[in-house]
Amino acid sequence: MKQHPVYSIDNFKTDLGKNELYINTFTNHLKAHSFIEKPHRHNFYLLVLFTRGTGKHEIDFTRYNIKPGSLFVLQPGQIHNWQLSEDIDGYIFFYSQEIYNLYFGNKKVEDYPFYQSVMNQPEIVLDENEVNKIKPLFDLMIVESQINLPKKTDKLLNLLDCIHIEISRKYLLVSKHISHSYNYKIHQLEQLLEQYYKLEKSPSFYADAMNITLKHLNRICKETLNQTVTEIITNRIVLESKRLLTNPTQSVNQIADELGFDDYSYFTRLFKKKTGITPNVFRKNLN
């Protein structure tokens, strides 16, 4: 079993003169980069809208059907691959956290709900009217990327932000994440979890760090995500376990140790309880 490669934006040809931004139609992208159909990771954010064709898109071991109107938002570190029909087309954009956050200053790309691990749902399906509404923004991105005029990067980033806003409206509607004070707490939990999940497995740790009771934090998580704090922590650990298990050079014992488990057997039981199989069986199935 081969370890999945991790691609940077500079692995992809671009005429923008920057390695933090990549913009292309999907057909042209495939012509130059056929290797992207194999499982791999990115160290950047990825946005793709399919306007024609069909296929399968597997993201972090979950498979999605591709059809016109399928829109996918991927964050750094996610493993994905796809199987595509011959007539596939659409748009594909890459961008780094640095170029986005430095430009907007008080707005961060990771603040968008579709780029948060706790609330992450990478697939959004647009109907025909929604595609027709958002498609001109994608077309403007393509046109702007192909010309050389002053303030080019400014316009591209502002168009990208407009696309993010349109996606957020659809995402929040579909995901039923009602905008209220609980969303701020979920975002706070998200940031703490990404920082500490390998070291801290106790729900009480996160409640204490947020200066609220565990009972209240559980209420927030259940109402917003229909999960307990324990379930959220476990899901994050198991997801990272699956990603690490794709690396054949690491033993399961080493992975358990990296994720902060002193007891290898407990890690195995936790993984099996969540997935129905042991880490070794999961790795064998990857072959």
Side-chain angles (χ1 to χ4, degrees), residues 170-219:
K170 172 71 173 182
Y171 185 89
L172 293 171
L173 180 65
V174 171
S175 302
K176 298 179 182 178
H177 294 143
I178 302 171
S179 180
H180 50 44
S181 60
Y182 281 4
N183 280 347
Y184 171 76
K185 290 297 185 183
I186 290 295
H187 183 48
Q188 190 179 3
L189 174 61
E190 157 88 10
Q191 293 177 313
L192 288 168
L193 189 59
E194 287 305 300
Q195 186 176 358
Y196 293 111
Y197 73 91
K198 291 183 180 181
L199 300 173
E200 300 290 347
K201 311 293 191 293
S202 168
S204 297
F205 168 83
Y206 296 96
D208 291 343
M210 295 169 66
N211 294 314
I212 59 177
T213 66
L214 178 56
K215 182 178 180 180
H216 185 44
L217 182 55
N218 266 317
R219 184 185 304 117

Side-chain angles (χ1 to χ4, degrees), residues 7 12 32 58 61 97 149 190 281:
Y7 295 129
F12 302 86
E58 187 170 301
F61 318 101
Q97 182 184 57
L149 292 175
E190 157 88 10
V281 172

Side-chain angles (χ1 to χ4, degrees), residues 32-281:
H33 311 108
S34 60
F35 60 83
I36 65 167
E37 295 194 55
K38 299 177 181 178
H40 59 279
R41 300 173 187 248
H42 301 290
N43 64 4
F44 50 82
Y45 290 88
L46 181 153
L47 170 62
V48 57
L49 171 65
F50 290 102
T51 57
R52 189 177 68 192
T54 58
K56 303 288 184 183
H57 191 183
E58 187 170 301
I59 305 170
D60 277 334
F61 318 101
T62 299
R63 180 167 291 189
Y64 303 92
N65 293 320
I66 294 172
K67 59 184 179 180
S70 293
L71 187 148
F72 296 95
V73 283
L74 275 73
Q75 53 191 309
Q78 292 190 283
I79 294 176
H80 80 123
N81 66 285
W82 34 41
Q83 299 169 352
L84 306 167
S85 63
E86 293 290 335
D87 62 339
I88 202 74
D89 201 3
Y91 308 86
I92 186 164
F93 303 158
F94 306 152
Y95 37 97
S96 70
Q97 182 184 57
E98 290 75 16
I99 192 173
Y100 196 96
N101 292 358
L102 283 174
Y103 181 79
F104 287 104
N106 63 345
K107 179 188 292 188
K108 296 181 179 179
V109 65
E110 63 269 24
D111 288 342
Y112 280 104
F114 45 81
Y115 281 140
Q116 296 173 19
S117 296
V118 170
M119 300 168 69
N120 180 251
Q121 172 58 39
E123 179 199 41
I124 303 163
V125 180
L126 306 179
D127 61 31
E128 186 176 353
N129 289 334
E130 290 167 333
V131 170
N132 290 336
K133 181 180 179 181
I134 203 171
K135 187 175 181 293
L137 295 173
F138 284 82
D139 288 330
L140 283 171
M141 290 277 287
I142 296 294
V143 171
E144 188 65 28
S145 70
Q146 296 171 347
I147 59 178
N148 191 19
L149 292 175
K151 300 290 185 179
K152 177 176 181 175
T153 301
D154 297 71
K155 184 170 181 179
L156 286 170
L157 288 171
N158 278 285
L159 284 169
L160 179 59
D161 196 49
C162 287
I163 290 172
H164 281 164
I165 290 169
E166 292 299 327
I167 295 172
S168 291
R169 291 172 175 175
K170 172 71 173 182
Y171 185 89
L172 293 171
L173 180 65
V174 171
S175 302
K176 298 179 182 178
H177 294 143
I178 302 171
S179 180
H180 50 44
S181 60
Y182 281 4
N183 280 347
Y184 171 76
K185 290 297 185 183
I186 290 295
H187 183 48
Q188 190 179 3
L189 174 61
E190 157 88 10
Q191 293 177 313
L192 288 168
L193 189 59
E194 287 305 300
Q195 186 176 358
Y196 293 111
Y197 73 91
K198 291 183 180 181
L199 300 173
E200 300 290 347
K201 311 293 191 293
S202 168
S204 297
F205 168 83
Y206 296 96
D208 291 343
M210 295 169 66
N211 294 314
I212 59 177
T213 66
L214 178 56
K215 182 178 180 180
H216 185 44
L217 182 55
N218 266 317
R219 184 185 304 117
I220 291 171
C221 293
K222 285 294 289 185
E223 182 170 327
T224 310
L225 303 172
N226 197 30
Q227 298 178 52
T228 64
V229 183
T230 298
E231 288 172 329
I232 290 171
I233 297 169
T234 301
N235 288 340
R236 184 65 186 92
I237 293 168
V238 170
L239 173 58
E240 196 63 26
S241 303
K242 291 178 177 179
R243 291 173 176 173
L244 293 171
L245 284 164
T246 65
N247 181 359
T249 64
Q250 274 189 298
S251 69
V252 175
N253 203 9
Q254 288 173 322
I255 290 171
D257 185 63
E258 180 175 338
L259 292 175
F261 290 91
D262 296 327
D263 187 346
Y264 162 80
S265 60
Y266 176 73
F267 166 70
T268 299
R269 291 197 302 273
L270 180 71
F271 188 94
K272 185 175 182 180
K273 182 179 179 181
K274 188 65 184 176
T275 66
I277 56 177
T278 66
N280 281 320
V281 172

